[in-house]
Amino acid sequence: YAREDHYPGEVDGYLMDEYSPVFPIGIDASVDPTAAFMGFPWFEREVLNLAKEAINGEALGKGDHPDLLFIGFSAMDWMIHDYGPHSQEVMDACIKLDRYMGNFMEFVDKTLGLENVMFVLTADHGGLPLPEYLVEKGGSGGRINQKHLAEAIEWIDEECEERFGKKLYHREGANYFLDHKRLKKANLMPDHIYEIVKKYLTNVDGVERVAIKDDILKSTDKDKTTLRLKNMIHIEKTPEIFPIVNPGYLFRGPYGTSHGSPYDYDTHVPLIFARTHFKPRVDTSPRATVDIAPTIAKYLSVDIPEYCDGSPIDL
Ligand SMILES: [Zn+2]
């Protein structure tokens, strides 16, 4: 069901060889396998083995009070970063993960009885297909040209230095953290820097807009993108000025893909609740991962505090 195996844009683990990102993926003999282990499906199998040890070792589910066990399948994120979601590699990883989880559920059934357990499966983000694949399918997308981006960053530095002076901001990638003390001393408004950054970055192909943290925090706009950005950023740690890519674009190149945009492909995640006596049904109404905690609380007859963002789902 996945696309052809040799596909441009996929990472090739054999760096010493000619570019050939084909399945099964291996690593060069010189690479320490334990360092590369995280990028393979077997990582999830070992995580589940660890989960079994935790259940036994901590006697989870045996006492009078309910226990929560969180299991993170992070190798899937790594593999999708490297090969994209439609690859043979990720299809194989999904088939393997499905089996590993089936095996884990059998263990839970034997140890605790499935009637005593609720499983919840979700993800903390989605991801962008390889832009090469998007384009082939008739969509739009691409990789930000690193040379153009580097030029834009240089011009921003030059103009800011020339007009206002040095070291007024700290930059990470194309994200800007302003030095408010220095700006104040030089009698400058953040807008002075913002206008320059915006002028050059929005000229880079694939950059849709340049966002300002304050505007996003202040916005009461119900615009989907703004609202998602508002939910996504950190009130203190987020850079003050940061570029937002066009849908389908990413900074990573020349291989692999990423996530972190406010678009549907990044924010749409599965949400599955499973328990032996639940009647199978599909609910397509919009729900959010913040609904998980109140839903579990409801089924445990625990009061849901008012500060809780989500609302319980009727399962
Ligand atoms: Zn990731």
Side-chain angles (χ1 to χ4, degrees), residues 5-33:
D5 194 7
H6 190 300
Y7 201 84
E10 292 184 11
V11 168
D12 180 9
Y14 290 110
L15 296 173
M16 318 294 244
D17 259 333
E18 214 176 300
Y19 179 65
S20 176
V22 290
F23 185 77
I25 296 296
I27 48 170
D28 287 320
S30 58
V31 174
D32 172 7

Side-chain angles (χ1 to χ4, degrees), residues 77 81 125 258-259:
D77 175 75
H81 271 293
H125 56 76
S258 198
H259 51 84

Side-chain angles (χ1 to χ4, degrees), residues 257-279:
T257 183
S258 198
H259 51 84
S261 83
Y263 304 121
D264 284 358
Y265 53 76
D266 266 350
T267 58
H268 195 188
V269 295
L271 180 53
I272 300 170
F273 293 86
R275 216 182 154 182
T276 43
H277 64 273
F278 284 170
K279 254 198 183 150

